[in-house]
Amino acid sequence: MAQNQCIFEYSNFGNGYLRIYFLKDNKTTENEIFIDLQDYPIKNGVVAKLEPLVERIKQELKELNVKNLQSPLLLLRCAEIHKNSLFLPIKSSFQANSLYKKEMKLKNNKDLFVPISNSYKSELGYMFNTYYIPKLIIESFNNIEKMLNTEFVGVQPLGMFLAEKLNYKGTYVYFYIKEKVCTMIMVSDKDLITSYDFEFETERDILSKFLLVASKHEFEVDKKQISYYDINSDESINVDLGIKRIDEK
């Protein structure tokens, strides 16, 4: 098959899963491998024994007639990732970035975490969101890439990737639901405002998380009303958020 963009999507919530898929034209999923990690025990956020998992991946790739993996992208939705938000009531982007870099130096924990950040400008200043990814998880996938004879082109929290791919306008909330785990992102004028990964049991759990985050977003920092929402789910979800879905606009 022709080589399209390859994505590794790893979740360690619950039993965990590894989803490997190929995007055609950077949009449509053309082929997919889904591995439930129930038979591959997870310890400290990573698969304890990589060899059986890698052999499974190789076999699945062979069945898809994929002879090599070209620059896959690693997306993570992991319980161990935590976020820190820093708001700077400053108009100058240069000054805001300088202060943020100084703050990051003070929080130097690079031996344990790899920070990945995004920022956006609001009417009141600049907000910096930093997502701290455990190095143990990244190192685990470094070993996987060596065993697969490939090299990851980058690593991101899943929510950050979703915000970059979606083409919706205005201010909205988006839910990506798979295997009883929800990644909820809020985006305003193409800027990722926040991203949360959480397990849920009922639709009420999703609604509660949305209301908590929406109130903070609308009333404390940005003071922008959330206009609409959309859902990509592997199960039927019916949540009354009090706003319209994208196809109802």
Side-chain angles (χ1 to χ4, degrees):
M1 60 173 267
Q3 183 71 65
N4 299 307
Q5 183 184 19
C6 178
I7 307 292
F8 276 57
E9 179 183 311
Y10 172 68
S11 171
N12 63 12
F13 287 91
N15 291 328
Y17 70 81
L18 178 62
R19 180 182 175 223
I20 304 172
Y21 58 100
F22 299 87
L23 290 180
K24 183 179 181 181
D25 300 325
N26 213 26
K27 294 180 180 179
T28 307
T29 300
E30 188 173 56
N31 287 281
E32 176 176 328
I33 297 168
F34 187 87
I35 302 175
D36 187 325
L37 296 178
Q38 183 174 3
D39 296 329
Y40 305 89
I42 293 175
K43 184 178 181 180
N44 297 323
V46 300
V47 174
K49 295 183 179 180
L50 295 179
E51 290 79 3
L53 175 61
V54 171
E55 288 304 312
R56 168 78 178 274
I57 294 171
K58 288 180 177 179
Q59 181 60 38
E60 298 272 3
L61 291 173
K62 184 177 180 181
E63 292 177 7
L64 290 178
N65 195 30
V66 177
K67 293 182 171 51
N68 57 75
L69 295 174
Q70 297 178 7
S71 304
L73 175 64
L74 176 60
L75 304 179
L76 301 173
R77 54 190 333 214
C78 300
E80 295 78 10
I81 295 176
H82 69 273
K83 184 187 75 170
N84 179 68
S85 296
L86 175 65
F87 178 70
L88 297 173
I90 298 171
K91 298 294 184 180
S92 166
S93 62
F94 176 79
Q95 188 178 9
N97 279 284
S98 296
L99 288 174
Y100 171 70
K101 289 178 181 178
K102 289 180 181 179
E103 181 72 15
M104 289 297 290
K105 287 182 179 179
L106 294 175
K107 295 182 177 180
N108 189 346
N109 49 7
K110 62 182 181 181
D111 291 337
L112 297 176
F113 297 95
V114 174
I116 297 179
S117 64
N118 78 293
S119 64
Y120 64 91
K121 186 179 185 300
S122 72
E123 293 182 1
L124 302 176
Y126 285 85
M127 177 67 80
F128 294 85
N129 289 319
T130 305
Y131 298 85
Y132 291 92
I133 301 176
K135 287 192 71 175
L136 189 63
I137 294 175
I138 293 179
E139 289 169 355
S140 174
F141 276 92
N142 286 343
N143 291 328
I144 289 175
E145 69 179 358
K146 291 176 183 176
M147 297 167 74
L148 292 174
N149 193 30
T150 187
E151 184 175 355
F152 288 106
V153 69
V155 57
Q156 287 182 299
L158 175 62
M160 194 174 290
F161 174 80
L162 293 174
E164 292 173 357
K165 290 295 182 183
L166 295 171
N167 291 318
Y168 305 153
K169 297 179 181 180
T171 302
Y172 64 90
V173 61
Y174 184 87
F175 302 91
Y176 176 88
I177 297 171
K178 186 173 286 294
E179 299 293 306
K180 282 296 182 182
V181 180
C182 178
T183 296
M184 180 181 71
I185 65 171
M186 285 190 176
V187 179
S188 181
D189 299 325
K190 302 294 185 180
D191 291 323
L192 174 63
I193 304 301
T194 193
S195 174
Y196 287 87
D197 300 316
F198 59 95
E199 291 181 279
F200 69 95
E201 293 184 2
T202 68
E203 294 166 343
R204 182 179 292 274
D205 297 331
I206 297 174
L207 178 60
S208 297
K209 179 67 75 172
F210 166 75
L211 292 175
L212 177 65
V213 176
S215 62
K216 183 178 183 62
H217 169 66
E218 290 187 338
F219 301 115
E220 292 185 20
V221 179
D222 300 286
K223 296 180 170 55
K224 290 184 179 180
Q225 185 175 1
I226 298 170
S227 303
Y228 56 93
Y229 75 100
D230 203 3
I231 293 179
N232 180 344
S233 178
D234 62 353
E235 63 176 282
S236 177
I237 295 289
N238 183 19
V239 183
D240 184 6
L241 303 178
I243 53 178
K244 291 184 178 181
R245 189 162 179 172
I246 181 67
D247 55 9
E248 298 171 344
K249 287 181 64 195

